[in-house]
Amino acid sequence: PPVNDPYIYGQIAAANAISDVYAMGGEPKVCLNLVSFPSHKLPPEDLNQIVAGALNKITESGEVLAGGHSVEDSEPKFGLSVIGIVHPDHYWTNGNARQGDVLVLTKPLGSGVLFNANLKNWVTDAAMIKCVDTLIHLNKDAARIMKDFDVHSVTDITGFGLAGHALEMAKASGALLQINIDSLPIMDEALAMYKKGMSTGVNRFNEDLVRGALRDESNVAAHHREILFDPQTSGGLLASLPAEQAPELIRSLQEVKTPCAAIIGEVIEATGTAGLIVR
């Protein structure tokens, strides 16, 4: 599968960087490439393809690439500095989740363990290609559609995993969030990789981040629970909105072929105490 393809690497990195603007309800407008590259190890064609992949996503988002910075390094690193605009009265934060809201997620989980397992050739080509397709999918349409609803709180799910980013929302909102683990959308073969003993270097760190704030009342196996801590690259948006609006939001997200549109939990209370319950 094309996981080491420099063009796809550039696409994933760009989609990941642009997502932060979508998570605030903003429109990305202009960006700069930030590149570290080992020119003594890799051919210039690889760098050209990384930038071309990024430009593909930059163009899709409606942004302009205004230039960038490059440095010599021992391994390739690539990202974007992204500037967007949003109305000062209509931006989203991760701090306004309200009691009675439900939580909607727009991309499945599991990319962290799949990429690690793929290094050992444990993952099928079909599952890996599907994973990559999800990662290069912009959160553009999901964010656009959410603007038609009374969305209270939004964050994107990236390196801290679902539990880490959900706890950030809980803390910023002074809310108790419940995650229904059986409702989580999960990438093909991700749970199988955890069951086989694979993990990532970040899972334990992410679990420690929420320790003391997460109450696990689920009955799932230990390997299944790991999906809560799986670090995502270019993950989906997690939004909290009134329960009565959720079915219509789900339908609208499905119409634009968002990678997934799943109700994964709810805001139990918002009385100033932050926490997570997993059931």
Side-chain angles (χ1 to χ4, degrees), residues 203-250:
N203 278 58
R204 290 287 72 77
F205 173 82
N206 287 346
E207 186 174 11
D208 287 343
L209 272 182
V210 302
R211 195 178 305 281
L214 185 149
R215 195 160 83 237
D216 186 1
E217 298 180 358
S218 70
N219 293 313
V220 299
H223 76 268
H224 191 153
R225 190 171 174 269
E226 288 296 321
I227 203 68
L228 295 165
F229 314 116
D230 190 277
Q232 304 306 290
T233 299
S234 187
L237 299 179
L238 177 68
S240 106
L241 77 161
E244 63 271 15
Q245 294 186 22
E248 183 60 33
L249 174 60
I250 297 294

Side-chain angles (χ1 to χ4, degrees), residues 19-104:
S19 181
D20 286 327
V21 173
Y22 291 135
M24 293 193 71
E27 294 180 25
K29 290 296 183 183
V30 63
C31 63
L32 297 174
N33 285 333
L34 304 171
V35 186
S36 297
F37 193 76
S39 60
H40 56 290
K41 289 184 185 176
L42 297 175
E45 292 77 17
D46 282 3
L47 180 56
N48 290 340
Q49 284 299 296
I50 290 170
V51 174
L55 187 58
N56 171 265
K57 290 292 145 184
I58 292 165
T59 303
E60 184 183 336
S61 74
E63 283 182 282
V64 173
L65 177 60
H69 302 277
S70 59
V71 296
E72 184 74 31
D73 202 353
S74 58
E75 61 180 48
K77 303 181 183 75
F78 180 79
L80 302 177
S81 173
V82 184
I83 297 172
I85 60 170
V86 68
H87 192 287
D89 296 331
H90 299 294
Y91 65 90
W92 296 328
T93 75
N94 64 356
N96 196 31
R98 299 179 190 175
Q99 184 170 331
D101 282 358
V102 296
L103 303 173
V104 172

Side-chain angles (χ1 to χ4, degrees), residues 104-106 137 139-151 241 244-263:
V104 172
L105 182 62
T106 67
H137 188 100
N139 287 323
K140 178 181 181 179
D141 285 338
R144 174 176 57 82
I145 291 217
M146 285 178 182
K147 289 177 188 175
D148 292 333
F149 295 82
D150 297 323
V151 169
L241 77 161
E244 63 271 15
Q245 294 186 22
E248 183 60 33
L249 174 60
I250 297 294
R251 280 194 293 274
S252 299
L253 290 171
Q254 289 169 341
E255 284 174 8
V256 296
K257 295 182 170 52
T258 302
C260 79
I263 297 173

Side-chain angles (χ1 to χ4, degrees), residues 106-152:
T106 67
K107 282 188 183 183
L109 307 165
S111 60
V113 76
L114 287 177
F115 272 97
N116 267 18
N118 189 63
L119 296 174
K120 295 194 172 188
N121 296 315
W122 288 2
V123 186
T124 65
D125 286 0
M128 210 62 225
I129 289 169
K130 197 170 177 182
C131 170
V132 168
D133 285 345
T134 298
L135 268 54
I136 65 176
H137 188 100
L138 290 177
N139 287 323
K140 178 181 181 179
D141 285 338
R144 174 176 57 82
I145 291 217
M146 285 178 182
K147 289 177 188 175
D148 292 333
F149 295 82
D150 297 323
V151 169
H152 294 147

